[in-house]
Amino acid sequence: QWQQQLYAQYPALAKGFILMPGRLSPWKGQQDFLMLMRKLHDQGLPIAAAIVGEAEANKEGYLQELHQLRHELGLEQQVCFLGHRSDMAELYNEAKAVCHLSRKPEPFGRTLTEALACNTPVLAYAQGGAAESLQQCFPAGLVPVGNLSAFAQQLRKTLEQSNSITLPEQLTFNHQAAQTLALYQGLISGIRG
């Protein structure tokens, strides 16, 4: 039923799609993602894409810029803007791959590990927390920073083969929650002691 509703609302996604989740902000790389999709289509890979997220406060104009760029690139039938979603696990599971194109190094990049936990391959620029996570889980997803041609090539390769993803225990929710609780308990013990 979830699939039927998604594809009824966004028919272009029904034959498979690439996902780009994240807050809509210029440094998050949605413009690069649109350029990447144009490159893939020019290379004969007619796959659809979904951009998930909403604009930050005071940056609603950025969404309009993205719509305009999508129009200029001729991708209105291939790229869908889904806005804010509460069904991310389902979207990760349904996507063929997830792209992370942040222009600045991020300290962690939660969307990467969420997608990897759903056994969905992730490709990202080799910088910051994204590089650290992918090095442990899916090193084939690392791409030189800013190199959209290499990104397109690696994405094609990822879509054409079966991929092996390993999620270390330290990146799981249960492990991180336990570590956070242990930290707080240690701080409380120190205050009481």
Side-chain angles (χ1 to χ4, degrees), residues 6-26:
L6 179 72
Y7 297 143
Q9 191 172 2
Y10 304 101
L13 304 182
K15 293 182 180 177
F17 63 93
I18 299 166
L19 181 65
M20 178 159 190
R23 197 172 53 252
L24 299 184
S25 180

Side-chain angles (χ1 to χ4, degrees), residues 17 25 80 84 100 108 129 155 159 161 167 169 184:
F17 63 93
S25 180
C80 303
H84 175 76
H100 185 274
F108 182 60
L155 183 53
L159 294 172
Q161 64 190 22
L167 192 67
E169 184 190 1
Y184 287 137

Side-chain angles (χ1 to χ4, degrees), residues 38-157:
R38 180 72 263 161
K39 234 177 226 314
L40 291 173
H41 282 265
D42 289 346
Q43 295 172 5
L45 185 66
I47 191 162
I51 296 176
V52 176
E54 54 191 4
E56 294 178 322
N58 315 344
K59 298 205 174 149
E60 292 82 8
Y62 180 60
L63 177 59
Q64 294 309 314
E65 290 176 32
L66 292 174
H67 279 277
Q68 180 61 34
L69 180 58
R70 177 181 69 170
H71 172 73
E72 290 169 8
L73 295 172
L75 295 171
E76 289 159 313
Q77 301 303 312
Q78 295 86 10
V79 178
C80 303
F81 289 92
L82 276 57
H84 175 76
R85 303 288 295 213
S86 58
D87 55 354
M88 289 308 299
E90 290 83 359
L91 287 168
Y92 289 135
N93 277 311
E94 195 70 13
K96 302 293 183 194
V98 169
C99 293
H100 185 274
L101 292 149
S102 291
R103 295 176 178 180
K104 299 177 189 174
E106 291 192 52
F108 182 60
R110 187 185 74 227
T111 58
L112 275 80
T113 52
E114 289 175 347
L116 293 165
C118 293
N119 207 37
T120 302
V122 176
L123 286 87
Y125 288 143
Q127 62 182 351
E132 292 175 20
S133 294
L134 283 180
Q135 193 62 49
Q136 295 179 64
C137 306
F138 186 62
L142 291 169
V143 179
V145 178
N147 190 334
L148 282 180
S149 293
F151 211 109
Q153 181 179 357
Q154 190 58 37
L155 183 53
R156 283 184 70 102
K157 192 173 173 183

